[in-house]
Amino acid sequence: MIRDEKLIFEKSVEGRIGYSLPANDVPEVDLEVVYPGDMLRKTAPQLPEVSEVDVIRHYTNLSKRNYGVDSGFYPLGSCTMKYNPKINEDIASMEGLAQMHPLQNPQTAQGNLEILYNMDKYLSEILGMERVTLQPAAGAQGEMTGLMIIKAYHMHRLDSKRVKIIVPDSSHGTNPASAALAGFEVVHIPSDERGCVDINALEDILDDTVAGLMLTNPNTLGLFEEDILKISRMVHDCGGLLYYDGANMNAIMGIARPGDMGFDIAHVNLHKTFSTPHGGGGPGSGPIGVVKELVPFLPVPVIEKVDDYYTLDYDRPLSIGKVKSFYGNFGVILRAYSYIRTMGSQGLKAASQTAVLNANYIRKRLEDLYDIPHNRICMHEFVLSAQRQAKNGVTALDIAKNLLDKGIHPPTIYFPLIVQEAMMIEPTETESPETLDNFIEIMRDLAIKAQENPESLKNAPKETYVSRLDEVKAARTPVLRWKK
Amino acid sequence: MKSSYIPMTRQQQEAMLSTVDVKSLDELFSAIPEELRLQKDLKLPEPLSEHELKKHMNTLAQKNSDTIGNTCFLGAGAYDHIIPSAVKHITSRQEFYTAYTPYQPEISQGVLQSIFEYQTMIAELTGMDAANASLYDGATALYEAALLASRYNGRKEILIARSVNPEYRKVLYSGLRYSGITVKEVDFYKEENSNNKSGTINLEQLQDHISKNTAAIAIQSPNFFGILEDIKAVSHTAKEVGALLIAVCDPISLGVFESPGALGADIAVGEAQPLGNPMNFGGPLLGYFAVKSPFIRRMPGRIVGETIDSQGRRGFVLTLQAREQHIRREKATSNICTNQALCALAAANYLSLMGKEGLKEVATQCINKSVYTYHSLLEASQVSQVFEAPFFREFVVRPKIKPNAINEALLTEKIIGGYDLTAEYPELEGCWLVAVTEKRSKKEIDDFVSKVNSICQGGIIND
C-alpha cells in the first residue's frame, strides 16, 4: 500500500504547471488601467503548482483510499446502493446531450426537452401521479418543494391556520428539517408495537391545524404501513395532504404506487431507486410527482408538448416559483432515463421483487444470532439490533468497523433512532446470492466472536488506510482547510 | 425476467424463497393490501438493449444543437470554459463516483481528503476562513446564505441588488416565501436615473432602504451584466447598521480580482460550474459556500475536518455534524443531505491542474477576449453602449435590431448568441448580454462580430 499522506498543496513546486491553454490571440488588456483601485488581487490565491502527472497520481492514490459500489457489497440501509450500469455513464457524457447551455433557444434543445418530458411521464406512471417536476436536486430538496406546494395549496384555499406537519419518530432527519424550512411546526408521532404509525396517536393529533403528514412507505424499519389507506383517509378527512418520502421506493416499483395509496405528493431519489451513482455524496436528483389538484403549484418551468414541439411553460400564476436554477440535475436525469428505458416495466418489477427477497433472505439467516425488533416479512431492507452483542461490549459501531476489515461497507448504524444499536441492512437487487452468503457468514462469525471473545472486536478496523479517527477532536478544534 | 443487473438465477430464487419460508415472490408482498397491488404492468416503453439505447439517445441528441457544433456566446449563469481531459479521468474512477457520502471515514479518505482540498481552494479564492463541502448550485447557496444571516442577527429583511442573476433571485424568493423573511430589491445605476451609467448597485437607493432591520445585503460581482461591484463600499454600508454582506462571486474571476473576503464580505457564495464542470443543460451545477470564522458553526451542509487516527496519523472526517438534519432534525441549519461532491472533486481537479498561474491566465484571457469582442462590436456601430464600467467575461450592448432576431439569424450560422435581457429587465429592453470565455478564438470572435454586423444591417430596427 502506498502511504502517501500529502495534500496536493504539499506537492506544489513553484513554477510548475498542469494546464494547456490556447495562446492569447487578441490584444492584451492592461489590467491595472482597466481595473483601477481595489479591484485587482494583491496576493495570488495559494493554489497548488503541479503537473498533470502529479494531479493524476495524487487523485488516483486518493481514489484507492475510497470504497465504491464497484469495490464490493454496500448494504447501507435507506441509501439503495445498487450497481450503477456503465452504459448510463456513457449516455450522460454524450456531447450532443451534455454539452448544452440551459438557456439555449428551446428549438435547439428539442432532444433534451423530449427526454425531460418523457421522464415526467415515466415517473408519473411509476408513482401513480399526474405530473412530475424534475427540478429538485436531491431528496431533501424534493421534500422542501413538496412542502412549499402543501403550503401554497392551503394558502390558496385561504386556509392559513394549517401550521403543522406530522412526521413519524422513525422518519429521516430531512423530513422535519424540510418542514421547518418551509415554515411549518413539526409534530412527531410515535410508532406502535408493530413498528408502524400509531393510528390512535395520529387520531389525537389530527385537526384543522394540520397541513399534512410525511411518510416513508415502506417505512425506515423496512415495513410496509399496512394501514396506509386508513391513514390517508384520516388525513384527508381532516383537510390535510399526504407527502411520500420516496427513499424506499426500490421496494415497490411496479408492485404498488404512492398515488394509489392516497399520497398527494411523492418524491423519488433517482440516485437510489433509479441506479444513478452517488458521487461520494452527490449530485443526486429528487423529482416530485403530484396529484392533479396540485399541478398548478409545481415549480416553473413545466415542460409542455404542443404539436410535437416541446416548450418551457413559465406562465403559471399559482406556481411556487423556482427551487433551483434551470431544470434540475439533467446529467443525473439522463442516467435514470437510460435505466428506465433498459429495464422496462418487467425489469423494474423484478428489481423490486429481488431486492425484497434479498433483504428477507439475510434477515432469515441472521435472526437466530441478532435481535430483530420487528421480525416479520420485510420489504427491501430491515433493521436488526446489536443489543445482545452490546451487552458483551460489542456495539453496532464495533460490528460496522469489523466489516470494514472484511471488505464490506457496513449497514447504516444508529438509525432509525427508535431502535437501540440499530443496523439497517439494504442489500438491493444487484447482489448475487454468493455475495449475500459471504456477508451472512461474516455477520454470523462476528456475532459468535462477540459472545466468545468480545475484546477481539474492539480495535477494528486494522486493514484500512487509517484506523478509527478522532471525531471529537475534529469537532472541538476544527481544522477545515490547509494552511502553509 | 432476466436482467444483466440482477444476478439471481431461477434456481437460486427458488432456494432463497424456501429459506425465507414463502411460496412465491408475491407472498413477500402480502403486507400490501390486496386493493393496492398493481394488477397490470406499468405503461412504460419496451426495454432496450445497450446498443438500442445508444441508437435511441443518438437520435435524441441529433435533435439538439450543442455547444461543440455551435460556437457559444451565451453565459448568464452557465459558462462554456475549457475543461482539461484529466478531470473526467479522475471523476470517472469508480471509487469516487460510485461511493456514498463518506459516513465511514476509514474507507472514505479519498473523497474526504479531496473535499478538504476543495474547501481549502474555495477559502483561498474567496479570502474566507472556511468553506463547506458544496451545495446544489449558486442560487440555492445564496438562499442558504440569506437564512444564515437572518438567524445570526435575528433580523428579517434581505436587501438584494437587482443586478444579481434573476434566476438566483427567483430561487431566493421561493425559498423565503414562508420563512417570515422579506426581500427588497435595490436598483442599479443606469442612464435614465442619473449620469451614472455604471450598471452597479445604486448606493443612494441602498442607503434609503437599509436599516436596523436589514439582516444582509446581497450583491453579485461580477454582477449579472458582467460588471464589477464596489464590494468594499457596500460592505461599509452594511457594517454601519450591523448587517452582513453576502457576495456572490464567480470563482474564475477570483484568479485576478480581489477576494470578497479581503473587501469585507462576511459570506461568499456562488456557482463553481466554471471550474471543470460541463454546463450539462443546467445541472448538475456546483454551489460553493464560504464564510468568515464567526459563521463557521452556522454553515449549512457537510463540512470535512482534519483529525488524527488512533495511531496519530492524519485523517479526515465529516465534522461539526451537530448542525445537520440527521442529528438536529427540525433544528438543523439546513435540510441538505445529498450535495454535489463529485462536482466539487472536479473543481478541485481543475484548480490543481490550472494552479496559481493557470487560473490567472484563464481569467485574463476571458478579459482580453471579451474586451476585444466588445470594442469590435462597438466599432462597427451596429450596437451601442449601455453601461460604462469595467466588466469581466460578459457585457451588455444594445444592438440595432432585437436580440432574439439576431440570435435566430446567428443560429443558422452555427452560433449561439447572447442572452436577451428584455424579459427579466424591462428597463433594458432590447439589450443583449454577450459572454466570451477563453475558449473562443480570435477567428471565432471576428466571425461572430461580422455576422452580427451584417445581420443588424439587414434586419428590422430595434427601438
PDB file of all heavy atoms in Angstrom, chain B residues 254-272:
ATOM      1  N   LEU B 254     -11.951  35.298  -9.667  1.00  0.00           N
ATOM      2  CA  LEU B 254     -11.111  35.496  -8.481  1.00  0.00           C
ATOM      3  C   LEU B 254      -9.645  35.128  -8.730  1.00  0.00           C
ATOM      4  O   LEU B 254      -8.800  35.311  -7.861  1.00  0.00           O
ATOM      5  CB  LEU B 254     -11.685  34.711  -7.294  1.00  0.00           C
ATOM      6  CG  LEU B 254     -13.079  35.199  -6.857  1.00  0.00           C
ATOM      7  CD1 LEU B 254     -13.644  34.314  -5.752  1.00  0.00           C
ATOM      8  CD2 LEU B 254     -13.039  36.660  -6.399  1.00  0.00           C
ATOM      9  N   GLY B 255      -9.351  34.652  -9.927  1.00  0.00           N
ATOM     10  CA  GLY B 255      -7.957  34.462 -10.320  1.00  0.00           C
ATOM     11  C   GLY B 255      -7.235  35.793 -10.493  1.00  0.00           C
ATOM     12  O   GLY B 255      -6.013  35.868 -10.379  1.00  0.00           O
ATOM     13  N   VAL B 256      -8.002  36.870 -10.785  1.00  0.00           N
ATOM     14  CA  VAL B 256      -7.375  38.196 -10.933  1.00  0.00           C
ATOM     15  C   VAL B 256      -7.939  39.259 -10.008  1.00  0.00           C
ATOM     16  O   VAL B 256      -7.248  40.210  -9.657  1.00  0.00           O
ATOM     17  CB  VAL B 256      -7.473  38.749 -12.387  1.00  0.00           C
ATOM     18  CG1 VAL B 256      -6.563  37.985 -13.309  1.00  0.00           C
ATOM     19  CG2 VAL B 256      -8.891  38.766 -12.898  1.00  0.00           C
ATOM     20  N   PHE B 257      -9.205  39.081  -9.599  1.00  0.00           N
ATOM     21  CA  PHE B 257      -9.821  40.151  -8.803  1.00  0.00           C
ATOM     22  C   PHE B 257      -9.655  39.917  -7.307  1.00  0.00           C
ATOM     23  O   PHE B 257      -9.529  38.780  -6.849  1.00  0.00           O
ATOM     24  CB  PHE B 257     -11.307  40.296  -9.143  1.00  0.00           C
ATOM     25  CG  PHE B 257     -11.523  40.719 -10.567  1.00  0.00           C
ATOM     26  CD1 PHE B 257     -12.366  40.009 -11.398  1.00  0.00           C
ATOM     27  CD2 PHE B 257     -10.846  41.824 -11.074  1.00  0.00           C
ATOM     28  CE1 PHE B 257     -12.547  40.386 -12.725  1.00  0.00           C
ATOM     29  CE2 PHE B 257     -11.016  42.208 -12.401  1.00  0.00           C
ATOM     30  CZ  PHE B 257     -11.866  41.490 -13.230  1.00  0.00           C
ATOM     31  N   GLU B 258      -9.715  41.021  -6.576  1.00  0.00           N
ATOM     32  CA  GLU B 258      -9.576  40.957  -5.120  1.00  0.00           C
ATOM     33  C   GLU B 258     -10.684  40.077  -4.546  1.00  0.00           C
ATOM     34  O   GLU B 258     -11.819  40.081  -5.034  1.00  0.00           O
ATOM     35  CB  GLU B 258      -9.632  42.371  -4.521  1.00  0.00           C
ATOM     36  CG  GLU B 258      -9.325  42.432  -3.035  1.00  0.00           C
ATOM     37  CD  GLU B 258      -7.976  41.804  -2.661  1.00  0.00           C
ATOM     38  OE1 GLU B 258      -7.893  40.551  -2.606  1.00  0.00           O
ATOM     39  OE2 GLU B 258      -7.014  42.548  -2.449  1.00  0.00           O
ATOM     40  N   SER B 259     -10.354  39.311  -3.531  1.00  0.00           N
ATOM     41  CA  SER B 259     -11.325  38.375  -2.969  1.00  0.00           C
ATOM     42  C   SER B 259     -12.397  39.121  -2.182  1.00  0.00           C
ATOM     43  O   SER B 259     -12.130  40.169  -1.591  1.00  0.00           O
ATOM     44  CB  SER B 259     -10.613  37.384  -2.055  1.00  0.00           C
ATOM     45  OG  SER B 259     -10.214  38.046  -0.872  1.00  0.00           O
ATOM     46  N   PRO B 260     -13.614  38.587  -2.176  1.00  0.00           N
ATOM     47  CA  PRO B 260     -14.682  39.230  -1.392  1.00  0.00           C
ATOM     48  C   PRO B 260     -14.321  39.298   0.094  1.00  0.00           C
ATOM     49  O   PRO B 260     -14.696  40.251   0.775  1.00  0.00           O
ATOM     50  CB  PRO B 260     -15.906  38.343  -1.639  1.00  0.00           C
ATOM     51  CG  PRO B 260     -15.385  37.049  -2.208  1.00  0.00           C
ATOM     52  CD  PRO B 260     -14.097  37.392  -2.889  1.00  0.00           C
ATOM     53  N   GLY B 261     -13.562  38.298   0.568  1.00  0.00           N
ATOM     54  CA  GLY B 261     -13.161  38.305   1.974  1.00  0.00           C
ATOM     55  C   GLY B 261     -12.320  39.527   2.298  1.00  0.00           C
ATOM     56  O   GLY B 261     -12.553  40.216   3.287  1.00  0.00           O
ATOM     57  N   ALA B 262     -11.354  39.811   1.426  1.00  0.00           N
ATOM     58  CA  ALA B 262     -10.463  40.954   1.664  1.00  0.00           C
ATOM     59  C   ALA B 262     -11.222  42.271   1.568  1.00  0.00           C
ATOM     60  O   ALA B 262     -10.805  43.279   2.128  1.00  0.00           O
ATOM     61  CB  ALA B 262      -9.318  40.934   0.659  1.00  0.00           C
ATOM     62  N   LEU B 263     -12.345  42.282   0.843  1.00  0.00           N
ATOM     63  CA  LEU B 263     -13.094  43.522   0.650  1.00  0.00           C
ATOM     64  C   LEU B 263     -14.224  43.683   1.657  1.00  0.00           C
ATOM     65  O   LEU B 263     -15.023  44.609   1.568  1.00  0.00           O
ATOM     66  CB  LEU B 263     -13.645  43.574  -0.779  1.00  0.00           C
ATOM     67  CG  LEU B 263     -12.565  43.665  -1.877  1.00  0.00           C
ATOM     68  CD1 LEU B 263     -13.176  43.454  -3.252  1.00  0.00           C
ATOM     69  CD2 LEU B 263     -11.842  45.007  -1.808  1.00  0.00           C
ATOM     70  N   GLY B 264     -14.320  42.752   2.598  1.00  0.00           N
ATOM     71  CA  GLY B 264     -15.268  42.962   3.701  1.00  0.00           C
ATOM     72  C   GLY B 264     -16.519  42.109   3.683  1.00  0.00           C
ATOM     73  O   GLY B 264     -17.400  42.292   4.520  1.00  0.00           O
ATOM     74  N   ALA B 265     -16.635  41.165   2.724  1.00  0.00           N
ATOM     75  CA  ALA B 265     -17.819  40.310   2.727  1.00  0.00           C
ATOM     76  C   ALA B 265     -17.759  39.324   3.891  1.00  0.00           C
ATOM     77  O   ALA B 265     -16.682  38.885   4.287  1.00  0.00           O
ATOM     78  CB  ALA B 265     -17.931  39.554   1.401  1.00  0.00           C
ATOM     79  N   ASP B 266     -18.910  38.994   4.447  1.00  0.00           N
ATOM     80  CA  ASP B 266     -18.975  38.018   5.542  1.00  0.00           C
ATOM     81  C   ASP B 266     -19.190  36.609   5.017  1.00  0.00           C
ATOM     82  O   ASP B 266     -18.732  35.636   5.612  1.00  0.00           O
ATOM     83  CB  ASP B 266     -20.121  38.381   6.494  1.00  0.00           C
ATOM     84  CG  ASP B 266     -19.938  39.748   7.087  1.00  0.00           C
ATOM     85  OD1 ASP B 266     -19.081  39.878   7.963  1.00  0.00           O
ATOM     86  OD2 ASP B 266     -20.631  40.702   6.649  1.00  0.00           O
ATOM     87  N   ILE B 267     -19.977  36.517   3.939  1.00  0.00           N
ATOM     88  CA  ILE B 267     -20.279  35.225   3.331  1.00  0.00           C
ATOM     89  C   ILE B 267     -20.033  35.351   1.830  1.00  0.00           C
ATOM     90  O   ILE B 267     -20.461  36.332   1.215  1.00  0.00           O
ATOM     91  CB  ILE B 267     -21.761  34.819   3.559  1.00  0.00           C
ATOM     92  CG1 ILE B 267     -22.126  34.897   5.049  1.00  0.00           C
ATOM     93  CG2 ILE B 267     -22.050  33.426   3.002  1.00  0.00           C
ATOM     94  CD1 ILE B 267     -23.613  34.700   5.333  1.00  0.00           C
ATOM     95  N   ALA B 268     -19.340  34.390   1.246  1.00  0.00           N
ATOM     96  CA  ALA B 268     -19.171  34.371  -0.212  1.00  0.00           C
ATOM     97  C   ALA B 268     -19.810  33.090  -0.725  1.00  0.00           C
ATOM     98  O   ALA B 268     -19.554  32.005  -0.187  1.00  0.00           O
ATOM     99  CB  ALA B 268     -17.694  34.413  -0.583  1.00  0.00           C
ATOM    100  N   VAL B 269     -20.651  33.235  -1.720  1.00  0.00           N
ATOM    101  CA  VAL B 269     -21.290  32.071  -2.335  1.00  0.00           C
ATOM    102  C   VAL B 269     -21.206  32.226  -3.848  1.00  0.00           C
ATOM    103  O   VAL B 269     -20.861  33.282  -4.350  1.00  0.00           O
ATOM    104  CB  VAL B 269     -22.778  31.938  -1.927  1.00  0.00           C
ATOM    105  CG1 VAL B 269     -22.930  31.662  -0.447  1.00  0.00           C
ATOM    106  CG2 VAL B 269     -23.579  33.168  -2.339  1.00  0.00           C
ATOM    107  N   GLY B 270     -21.557  31.165  -4.553  1.00  0.00           N
ATOM    108  CA  GLY B 270     -21.579  31.311  -5.997  1.00  0.00           C
ATOM    109  C   GLY B 270     -21.616  29.993  -6.713  1.00  0.00           C
ATOM    110  O   GLY B 270     -21.722  28.919  -6.108  1.00  0.00           O
ATOM    111  N   GLU B 271     -21.515  30.122  -8.030  1.00  0.00           N
ATOM    112  CA  GLU B 271     -21.616  28.980  -8.912  1.00  0.00           C
ATOM    113  C   GLU B 271     -20.218  28.575  -9.346  1.00  0.00           C
ATOM    114  O   GLU B 271     -19.517  29.357  -9.993  1.00  0.00           O
ATOM    115  CB  GLU B 271     -22.460  29.370 -10.140  1.00  0.00           C
ATOM    116  CG  GLU B 271     -22.669  28.262 -11.138  1.00  0.00           C
ATOM    117  CD  GLU B 271     -23.207  27.002 -10.474  1.00  0.00           C
ATOM    118  OE1 GLU B 271     -24.309  27.042  -9.908  1.00  0.00           O
ATOM    119  OE2 GLU B 271     -22.493  25.978 -10.505  1.00  0.00           O
ATOM    120  N   ALA B 272     -19.831  27.341  -8.978  1.00  0.00           N
ATOM    121  CA  ALA B 272     -18.490  26.873  -9.320  1.00  0.00           C
ATOM    122  C   ALA B 272     -18.501  25.932 -10.528  1.00  0.00           C
ATOM    123  O   ALA B 272     -17.508  25.256 -10.787  1.00  0.00           O
ATOM    124  CB  ALA B 272     -17.838  26.212  -8.105  1.00  0.00           C
TER     125      ALA B 272
END
